[in-house]
Amino acid sequence: MQHELEVILRPGEGALMRLLSMVERRGFPILGTHAEMAADNAQIKVRLRLADQGRSVDNLCQQVRKQVDVTSLLLLD
């Protein structure tokens, strides 16, 4: 089983790298990513496909939501 997250970030230096490194440090291998900047450059939409590690992804979602650059997060799986 896999998990898919959609994260909206404020554009800023290192925002995407902070998100990706946090997910990996929490022990969820990233299987795929897709990121695109909105037409007005006001936000970055990131889709992450994560491997299921046999634990709840809810804790990860709570931690990601606390990041300063994150404006919203949806769990799509």
Side-chain angles (χ1 to χ4, degrees):
M1 184 175 169
Q2 299 175 2
H3 303 287
E4 191 165 345
L5 305 176
E6 182 177 280
V7 183
I8 305 297
L9 299 173
R10 283 185 207 96
E13 191 172 316
L16 183 58
M17 288 304 299
R18 280 190 293 279
L19 172 65
L20 297 177
S21 64
M22 173 189 250
V23 170
E24 286 196 326
R25 278 193 319 268
R26 299 301 186 263
F28 286 88
I30 298 171
L31 302 176
T33 62
H34 177 81
E36 59 185 53
M37 180 77 78
D40 60 359
N41 292 335
Q43 63 184 17
I44 303 168
K45 182 176 169 181
V46 183
R47 279 203 171 202
L48 299 173
R49 200 166 29 93
L50 310 176
D52 184 8
Q53 294 297 299
R55 9 176 250 252
S56 173
V57 74
D58 294 332
N59 286 339
L60 173 66
C61 290
Q62 289 175 359
Q63 293 168 344
V64 169
R65 282 186 181 106
K66 290 179 184 178
Q67 279 196 316
V68 105
D69 302 309
V70 174
T71 60
S72 73
L73 181 142
L74 292 171
L75 181 58
L76 303 173
D77 61 17

